Amino acid sequence: MKTKAVKPAVHIIQKELLQPYNPVTINLIGAGGTGGQVLTALARMNHALIALGHTGLFVRVFDNDTVDTANLGRQLFTTAELGQYKSVALINRINRFFGTNWKAETIRYDKENLKDRDLASATVTITCVDTVKARYEVAEILKHLAEKYHGRNRVQYWMDFGNSRSSGQVILSTLEKIKQPASELYHPVETLPLVTEEFKELLNSEVVDDTPSCSLAEALTKQDLFINSALANVGASLLWQLFREGILFNRGFFLNLKDFRTQPLKVA
């Protein structure tokens, strides 16, 4: 007796992201070690997408922190940028280099600062934050926007970057059900679970040392020199696949830089 073949689970991207009339809006929250690397990857992605006939990306970076000496070397800042807002320093550099008109927001992405729903909402939200509390706060804002806001930039996807000293993960979630086409080859999945719900116990068990570092040497005891860029590049590859191929078999990954292992997180 023949057993029925199990169709691979996939998430299929809607046409409005693959062939949009306007640039796709992205809110990048956090402009530190990972955020700076992700922003550079987004700028390269935008340039490539436009060359391929896509309308590209419009990115806003949220961070109220300023550059200090401990950031130099591990994060993408120079001595000339000491004292500047991280978001402003990074956006100014990207805009000059790539000719974009992206925006820096020198505020925290939280309920107190985000009274303007047009500013809070973006098709894709990317978080590169240091604390579990910040993730939960972002999740609460995004869920509220998904229910109440139905403008052009309504929230659809949330990509969260998180890491410890030499390991980390990137998880892609949906904030609304993404309508899927019928398929004979695949099992289309319309909802990707939120990181704050699926990995709640893991997040709550994390012990975070958010004491400011006084030097690069001290900062490197908390995070390895290349963990941020490694996560940013693989995470950006997932986003690139979303825009270019329109179909995802994986919705994230776990990375261990010490053992040079990457474990994909399958769509299910």
Side-chain angles (χ1 to χ4, degrees):
M1 182 178 176
K2 277 189 175 182
T3 56
K4 192 175 180 180
V6 178
K7 295 180 183 178
V10 299
H11 179 74
I12 298 172
I13 314 305
Q14 290 183 326
K15 187 178 178 181
E16 64 188 70
L17 281 187
L18 304 179
Q19 298 174 336
Y21 294 109
N22 299 289
V24 177
T25 302
I26 295 179
N27 279 349
L28 174 60
I29 303 168
T34 302
Q37 298 281 352
V38 171
L39 181 63
T40 302
L42 290 173
R44 294 173 60 197
M45 193 182 305
N46 173 67
H47 189 82
L49 285 171
I50 291 172
L52 292 165
H54 192 278
T55 55
L57 312 173
F58 173 71
V59 179
R60 293 181 295 229
V61 180
F62 292 80
D63 200 312
N64 67 336
D65 196 14
T66 56
V67 181
D68 61 35
T69 52
N71 302 141
L72 305 182
R74 195 178 64 81
Q75 299 183 20
L76 298 178
F77 301 107
T78 70
T79 53
E81 294 164 333
L82 287 170
Q84 290 186 31
Y85 283 107
K86 291 180 178 181
S87 54
V88 172
L90 290 173
I91 282 292
N92 283 345
R93 196 185 317 152
I94 290 294
N95 285 343
R96 287 196 299 267
F97 192 94
F98 287 95
T100 48
N101 188 31
W102 294 357
K103 303 298 181 184
E105 303 294 340
T106 57
I107 57 174
R108 289 187 74 250
Y109 189 94
D110 58 24
K111 287 183 285 186
E112 184 179 339
N113 289 305
L114 291 169
K115 308 298 184 186
D116 183 352
R117 291 192 297 182
D118 287 324
L119 181 63
S121 187
T123 306
V124 181
T125 298
I126 300 175
T127 44
C128 303
V129 296
D130 294 332
T131 66
V132 174
K133 180 183 176 183
R135 282 190 181 86
Y136 280 120
E137 191 162 13
V138 170
E140 191 176 340
I141 293 170
L142 293 180
K143 285 190 287 186
H144 176 78
L145 288 169
E147 292 175 5
K148 305 294 184 182
Y149 181 84
H150 301 288
R152 180 171 64 85
N153 295 324
R154 70 185 191 279
V155 295
Q156 293 186 46
Y157 292 97
W158 173 22
M159 178 176 277
D160 179 65
F161 288 74
N163 68 280
S164 56
R165 187 176 186 277
S166 58
S167 62
Q169 71 284 330
V170 176
I171 311 292
L172 182 68
S173 309
T174 55
L175 276 302
E176 63 178 13
K177 290 182 178 180
I178 308 297
K179 188 176 180 180
Q180 302 286 290
S183 174
E184 294 184 1
L185 294 176
Y186 304 114
H187 168 57
V189 175
E190 61 183 5
T191 302
L192 306 179
L194 294 179
V195 60
T196 49
E197 295 175 1
E198 185 181 17
F199 296 104
K200 187 173 183 178
E201 289 185 11
L202 178 63
L203 290 174
N204 291 340
S205 68
E206 282 186 6
V207 177
V208 179
D209 179 9
D210 56 1
T211 308
S213 301
C214 298
S215 66
L216 174 60
E218 185 179 342
L220 290 174
T221 64
K222 300 176 184 178
Q223 291 188 13
D224 191 65
L225 184 60
F226 293 108
I227 184 62
N228 303 117
S229 54
L231 276 174
N233 281 318
V234 186
S237 294
L238 177 62
L239 199 60
W240 174 250
Q241 190 177 80
L242 182 151
F243 285 115
R244 286 299 298 147
E245 298 180 15
I247 183 170
L248 298 178
F249 292 86
N250 302 296
R251 56 189 175 93
F253 62 89
F254 295 90
L255 171 69
N256 187 318
L257 203 57
K258 190 173 183 180
D259 296 335
F260 301 104
R261 287 186 293 109
T262 304
Q263 178 65 43
L265 182 62
K266 297 290 183 183
V267 172

